[in-house]
Amino acid sequence: MIPEYLISETPFWLKEEGLFSEIVLSSRVRIARNLEDTFFVQRASADILQETMEKIKESILNMKNIRSFIYMGSLNPVERQFLMERRIVSHDIVEKVKYAGVGISNDEKAGVMVNEEDHIRIYGIMPGLNFTEAYESADDIDNFISKELDIAYDKEFGYLTACPTNVGTGMRASVLIHLPALVLTKEIDKALRSFSQMGYLIRGLYGEGTQVQGNMFQITNQRTLGISEEKIIQNLSKMVRELINYELNAREILVKNAKYEVEDKIWRAYAILSSARLLTSEEVINLASAVRFGIGLGIITSIPIKTLNKLLVLTQPAHIQIIFEKNMHAEERDITRAEFVRKILSGGENG
Amino acid sequence: MIPEYLISETPFWLKEEGLFSEIVLSSRVRIARNLEDTFFVQRASADILQETMEKIKESILNMKNIRSFIYMGSLNPVERQFLMERRIVSHDIVEKVKYAGVGISNDEKAGVMVNEEDHIRIYGIMPGLNFTEAYESADDIDNFISKELDIAYDKEFGYLTACPTNVGTGMRASVLIHLPALVLTKEIDKALRSFSQMGYLIRGLYGEGTQVQGNMFQITNQRTLGISEEKIIQNLSKMVRELINYELNAREILVKNAKYEVEDKIWRAYAILSSARLLTSEEVINLASAVRFGIGLGIITSIPIKTLNKLLVLTQPAHIQIIFEKNMHAEERDITRAEFVRKILSGGENG
C-alpha cells in the first residue's frame, strides 16, 4: 500500500518554486553508500539482503525526519510505478523489488532507497536550481546513518560502491532542465555537447535509459572520484547557469524572429490542455512543455509554474490510477487524465 | 470598389438560421436566361457583350429590390475574389471579368450575374433547407426581367441556354450540406452514390471544380429538361431530407460508439479556434466543421450556428483583406484571421 499522505499531499519540490523555476524544474543530489563487512547487493544472498534491509530500515526510522518506510515487495506494479513517477525510487529499484525498500522524509524532500544498486542510496530534491539545500537534506541522512551503521570506506578511494563509477564521494548531482527554445532553434545539440565533453551525462525525464520528452533534460555529473562534494555542486551549478543563459538568449531570438509562431504554439497547447477530453501522458508532457515556455515568456500569466510541475507528476499513468483508486485501461486513463488536467489547471486540485 | 454595405452588413443567409440549420448551411436556386435576337456570350463580340450588359443592368436596376450593380471589370482581383467568397458571383465570372457584372438584392437574398456563361443568371439563396423561398426570390427577378426584356424561349425545349445541360427550366437547385458523421463513419460514399445515380452532382464548397472541405458538400440537380421547377425542388428536398436522416443516424452511432473521441475532437477544435494566433482559411474551415458538429450534438452550446456560418465566409482570404482594408501576404492574413476569429466567436463582430 502507498501511504495515504503520499497521495493526498503534494511534495515540497512540486508545491514550491525555487531559483530559475521557469527553466529548472528540480535539483537533485544522491549519495551512494554501502555497509561494511557484508556483500554488495549483486553478490548477496536473499537472506543477507533481507538482513541488510532490516538493519538500514531500523536505522533510518530512528531519524525523526523520516516519515515512512515502504517495502517494495509489498507493492503491486502500479504502486511501484507510482513511486517511480514520484521520483521516490529509481527505474532500477522497480525492477529489483524483492528485497528493496525506501524510506521517505517529511515533505518528500529526501529519501533513502535500500538495496537498489548499492545498499544505501540517499537523495535530496529541491525545486528550481538549489543543489545546496538538496545536498543538505541528503547529507543530514548520510551523517545520521554513518553514526549508526558501519559504512564501507577506503582511505585512498573514499566511499566504496557497487559500480566503480560511483567510488569516491558516491555523489551524483542532477538537474532537470527545460530547454524549449534551444530545441526550437536547433541549438540544443551544440549546447549539450559541451556538457558531454566536460563529463556530464544527459538523459531523459526519469534518468538513466529514459527518453527525452517535453524538451526536458536531466544533466548529471559523472565524476565522483578525486573531487569534493562541494566542487561537484559548484561545477554543475556553474554549467547550469550558463545553459540557462543560452536558453534565455534563444528565447529572445525566437520572440524576435518568430513571435506569432511561438505564441500560436503556446496558446494552442494551453487551449488543448484545458479542453481535450482524451489526453495521453506523453501529450500532457509535450503540451505542458509549451505552456511552461509560455509562462517563461510572460505570455501565459493565469497559472503558476508550480501548477505545471504538479501536472507533470500527478497525471502519470500510475498516479491517475492510485489517485482515482481504480485500475484503468489506457482509454479510461486518458479520459480521467483529461478531466484531472482541467481540474488542476483551474486550480481545483490542491493536492 | 466593393460597396460599403457589403462589407459592413451580414447577408441574410448568414445572419439567420433556417430549417435543419445544423446540417444544411444554405439552399440556393439559380435560373439561366438569355436574351433573344443576340449572340450567346461565347459567340458575342466585345461591343455586343457591353451592349447586352447595359441593357440587363438598366432593367434590373429598375427593380426596387436590387440595391446595387457592380461591373466586374472595375474590380481588382481581391475584390472579385471577395464576391466569389461571398457567393455573389461564381468561379466562372471571376475568370471572365471584362464584360461581366452583377446586380445584388437587399440582404443579399438574390442577385443577377450578367454575361457569365449565359446572359442572365439569377440566383436566390436562403439559410437552412428552404428552396421555396430561395426560388421565390429568384423567380421574382425572373418575372420582372421577362416583362422588360425578350428572353430566348422555345415552345418545345423551354428556355434556351448556352450549355445544353441547362435547357428547359434553366434552373438549378443546390444545397450546401454538412455531413461530418457520415464522413467519420465512412458511410459518405455510399450515401452520396445514390445521389449520383439519381442524376445529382456532388461538389465542393464553392461549386463546380472546387474541393470538398470541412465535410461540406454541395448537391445540385443535373436535370433541367422535361421537368418543372416545382418538381426539381420537390425531388431535391426529398433527397436532402433523406440525407439528413442518414447523417443523424450516423451521429447517433458515433455518440454511442465513440463518445469520448468525438467530444475530444470537438472540444479541441473549439479550443484551437478560440486560441490560435495563426490560422489558415483551410484550418478555419476544418475546425469550424468540428465545432458545427459539436453544436449539432448539443456539446457546444455557447455559440449559435449562425456565428459559425459567418466565420466560414468572413474569414476567407479576400474578406480578411477587404474588411481590414489592407493587402496582406499569407502570414499577415493568418495573424489577422486568428484575431478576427476570436472576435467573432466572442460575439464581438456584429457584421
Side-chain angles (χ1 to χ4, degrees):
Chain A
M1 281 283 290
I2 299 288
E4 168 53 29
Y5 79 92
L6 279 185
I7 302 163
S8 60
E9 295 173 20
T10 304
F12 184 80
W13 58 280
L14 289 179
K15 209 161 52 181
E16 298 300 323
E17 291 179 11
L19 202 58
F20 302 117
S21 257
E22 322 90 79
I23 297 179
V24 181
L25 284 94
S26 57
S27 302
R28 200 170 194 276
V29 166
R30 73 104 172 107
I31 298 169
R33 297 289 183 259
N34 287 276
L35 297 190
E36 215 173 36
D37 301 324
T38 186
F39 294 99
F40 280 140
V41 174
Q42 294 84 337
R43 300 279 195 104
S45 65
D47 285 353
I48 288 180
L49 285 174
Q50 191 68 51
E51 195 186 303
T52 310
M53 178 158 65
E54 289 304 324
K55 212 164 162 182
I56 299 167
K57 179 196 159 195
E58 255 173 64
S59 163
I60 57 178
L61 280 178
N62 286 336
M63 268 196 88
K64 67 172 193 301
N65 191 33
I66 296 290
R67 190 162 173 184
S68 60
F69 186 90
I70 303 171
Y71 291 102
M72 293 304 290
S74 75
L75 303 181
N76 65 39
V78 174
E79 291 170 330
R80 292 197 293 265
Q81 204 192 326
F82 176 93
L83 293 183
M84 195 203 81
E85 289 173 358
R86 193 66 157 244
R87 306 180 71 202
I88 288 172
V89 302
S90 67
H91 236 254
D92 280 350
I93 211 168
V94 171
E95 306 296 309
K96 308 171 204 160
V97 292
K98 263 198 163 161
Y99 306 102
V102 64
I104 306 164
S105 86
N106 289 325
D107 267 345
E108 296 176 49
K109 279 185 177 176
V112 186
M113 278 191 283
V114 181
N115 289 345
E116 196 229 34
E117 190 179 282
D118 295 292
H119 294 140
I120 298 168
R121 286 245 169 141
I122 306 163
Y123 70 86
I125 185 168
M126 288 292 287
L129 182 60
N130 189 351
F131 288 120
T132 311
E133 282 188 66
Y135 177 65
E136 274 168 19
S137 304
D139 193 43
D140 279 352
I141 297 177
D142 183 32
N143 289 335
F144 187 88
I145 290 176
S146 298
K147 274 178 216 147
E148 304 221 332
L149 302 169
D150 292 325
I151 300 297
Y153 184 80
D154 178 278
K155 275 189 179 156
E156 193 183 340
F157 292 117
Y159 291 100
L160 300 178
T161 55
C163 176
T165 59
N166 287 312
V167 168
T169 57
M171 190 183 104
R172 284 235 164 124
S174 69
V175 72
L176 191 58
I177 189 164
H178 184 232
L179 306 170
L182 287 174
V183 171
L184 278 173
T185 57
K186 299 189 167 67
E187 297 282 311
I188 188 72
D189 288 339
K190 209 177 74 188
L192 294 180
R193 205 175 302 133
S194 56
F195 273 82
S196 289
Q197 283 163 353
M198 310 245 336
Y200 291 92
L201 285 172
I202 321 283
R203 304 188 285 196
L205 206 44
Y206 301 107
E208 213 158 334
T210 66
Q211 252 199 315
V212 172
Q213 283 184 296
N215 306 314
M216 285 178 285
F217 300 84
Q218 201 176 111
I219 301 174
T220 312
N221 68 301
Q222 245 176 327
R223 197 174 158 200
T224 55
L225 189 63
I227 183 169
S228 71
E229 285 87 346
E230 289 71 22
K231 199 72 197 161
I232 291 172
I233 286 176
Q234 248 177 46
N235 288 349
L236 184 53
S237 286
K238 200 180 140 218
M239 292 292 283
V240 168
R241 279 170 186 266
E242 264 178 50
L243 196 52
I244 291 170
N245 280 335
Y246 284 143
E247 169 68 16
L248 291 174
N249 281 340
R251 290 182 182 195
E252 213 171 288
I253 290 166
L254 267 180
V255 168
K256 212 159 112 187
N257 296 346
K259 182 177 184 299
Y260 288 100
E261 285 77 2
V262 167
E263 290 186 359
D264 187 56
K265 192 181 156 66
I266 289 165
W267 282 113
R268 282 175 187 240
Y270 187 35
I272 293 172
L273 212 46
S274 321
S275 299
R277 260 55 182 173
L278 290 172
L279 282 170
T280 63
S281 285
E282 202 190 337
E283 197 179 8
V284 169
I285 291 171
N286 290 325
L287 295 171
S289 165
V291 174
R292 166 180 279 274
F293 188 28
I295 297 174
L297 293 176
I299 292 170
I300 289 177
T301 53
S302 54
I303 51 168
I305 281 285
K306 59 187 176 189
T307 298
L308 279 183
N309 292 348
K310 271 169 62 174
L311 206 68
L312 275 182
V313 175
L314 302 186
T315 65
Q316 295 170 99
H319 268 76
I320 289 286
Q321 295 177 81
I322 299 281
I323 291 170
F324 290 90
E325 296 173 332
K326 194 181 170 204
N327 283 323
M328 302 181 198
H329 57 70
E331 166 148 339
E332 242 181 308
R333 288 201 302 269
D334 293 350
I335 294 167
T336 307
R337 180 178 297 113
E339 212 179 305
F340 193 41
V341 165
R342 291 201 299 285
K343 197 173 162 196
I344 294 174
L345 286 181
S346 68
E349 168 53 41
N350 300 311
Chain B
M1 280 284 288
I2 298 288
E4 167 54 28
Y5 80 91
L6 280 185
I7 302 162
S8 59
E9 296 173 18
T10 304
F12 184 80
W13 59 280
L14 289 180
K15 208 161 51 181
E16 298 299 324
E17 291 179 9
L19 201 58
F20 301 116
S21 257
E22 321 91 79
I23 297 179
V24 181
L25 283 94
S26 57
S27 302
R28 201 171 191 274
V29 167
R30 74 104 171 105
I31 298 170
R33 298 289 183 259
N34 285 277
L35 299 189
E36 214 173 36
D37 302 324
T38 187
F39 295 100
F40 279 139
V41 173
Q42 293 85 336
R43 300 281 196 101
S45 66
D47 285 354
I48 289 180
L49 285 175
Q50 191 68 52
E51 198 186 301
T52 310
M53 176 156 67
E54 289 305 323
K55 214 166 160 180
I56 299 167
K57 178 196 160 194
E58 255 173 63
S59 162
I60 58 177
L61 280 178
N62 286 337
M63 268 195 89
K64 68 172 191 305
N65 192 31
I66 295 290
R67 189 162 173 183
S68 60
F69 186 90
I70 302 170
Y71 291 104
M72 293 305 291
S74 75
L75 303 180
N76 65 38
V78 175
E79 291 169 330
R80 291 198 293 265
Q81 204 194 326
F82 176 92
L83 293 183
M84 195 203 81
E85 290 173 358
R86 193 65 156 244
R87 306 182 68 203
I88 288 172
V89 301
S90 67
H91 236 253
D92 280 350
I93 211 168
V94 172
E95 305 296 309
K96 310 169 203 162
V97 292
K98 260 196 165 165
Y99 306 103
V102 64
I104 305 164
S105 86
N106 290 326
D107 267 345
E108 297 177 48
K109 278 185 178 176
V112 186
M113 277 192 283
V114 181
N115 289 344
E116 197 230 35
E117 189 180 282
D118 295 293
H119 294 140
I120 298 168
R121 287 247 169 139
I122 306 163
Y123 70 86
I125 185 168
M126 288 293 287
L129 182 60
N130 188 351
F131 287 121
T132 311
E133 281 189 66
Y135 176 65
E136 274 169 19
S137 304
D139 194 44
D140 279 352
I141 297 177
D142 183 32
N143 289 336
F144 186 89
I145 290 175
S146 298
K147 274 177 213 145
E148 302 220 332
L149 302 169
D150 292 325
I151 300 297
Y153 184 81
D154 178 278
K155 275 191 183 157
E156 193 182 340
F157 291 118
Y159 291 101
L160 300 178
T161 54
C163 176
T165 59
N166 287 312
V167 168
T169 57
M171 190 182 103
R172 285 237 163 123
S174 68
V175 73
L176 190 58
I177 189 164
H178 184 232
L179 305 170
L182 287 174
V183 172
L184 278 173
T185 56
K186 298 189 168 67
E187 296 283 310
I188 188 71
D189 289 339
K190 209 178 74 189
L192 294 180
R193 205 175 302 131
S194 56
F195 274 82
S196 289
Q197 283 164 353
M198 311 244 336
Y200 292 92
L201 286 171
I202 320 284
R203 305 187 287 196
L205 206 43
Y206 300 108
E208 214 159 334
T210 64
Q211 252 199 314
V212 172
Q213 284 184 296
N215 307 314
M216 284 178 286
F217 300 84
Q218 202 177 110
I219 300 173
T220 313
N221 68 303
Q222 244 175 329
R223 196 171 159 201
T224 54
L225 190 63
I227 185 169
S228 71
E229 285 88 345
E230 287 72 20
K231 200 71 195 161
I232 291 172
I233 285 175
Q234 249 175 43
N235 289 349
L236 184 54
S237 287
K238 200 179 139 220
M239 292 291 282
V240 168
R241 279 171 187 265
E242 264 178 51
L243 196 53
I244 291 170
N245 280 335
Y246 284 142
E247 169 68 16
L248 291 175
N249 281 340
R251 290 183 183 194
E252 214 171 288
I253 290 166
L254 267 179
V255 168
K256 213 158 109 188
N257 297 346
K259 182 176 185 295
Y260 287 100
E261 285 75 4
V262 167
E263 289 186 0
D264 186 56
K265 193 181 154 69
I266 289 165
W267 282 113
R268 281 175 188 241
Y270 187 36
I272 293 172
L273 211 47
S274 320
S275 300
R277 261 52 184 176
L278 289 172
L279 282 170
T280 64
S281 286
E282 203 190 336
E283 197 179 7
V284 169
I285 291 171
N286 290 326
L287 295 171
S289 165
V291 175
R292 166 181 279 275
F293 188 27
I295 297 174
L297 293 178
I299 291 170
I300 290 178
T301 54
S302 54
I303 53 167
I305 280 286
K306 60 187 177 190
T307 297
L308 279 184
N309 292 347
K310 272 170 62 174
L311 205 68
L312 275 182
V313 175
L314 302 185
T315 64
Q316 295 170 101
H319 267 76
I320 289 286
Q321 295 177 81
I322 299 281
I323 291 170
F324 289 90
E325 297 175 332
K326 195 180 170 205
N327 284 321
M328 302 180 198
H329 56 71
E331 166 148 341
E332 241 180 309
R333 289 202 302 270
D334 292 350
I335 294 168
T336 308
R337 180 177 297 114
E339 211 178 306
F340 193 41
V341 165
R342 291 201 299 284
K343 198 173 160 193
I344 293 173
L345 285 181
S346 67
E349 167 53 43
N350 300 312

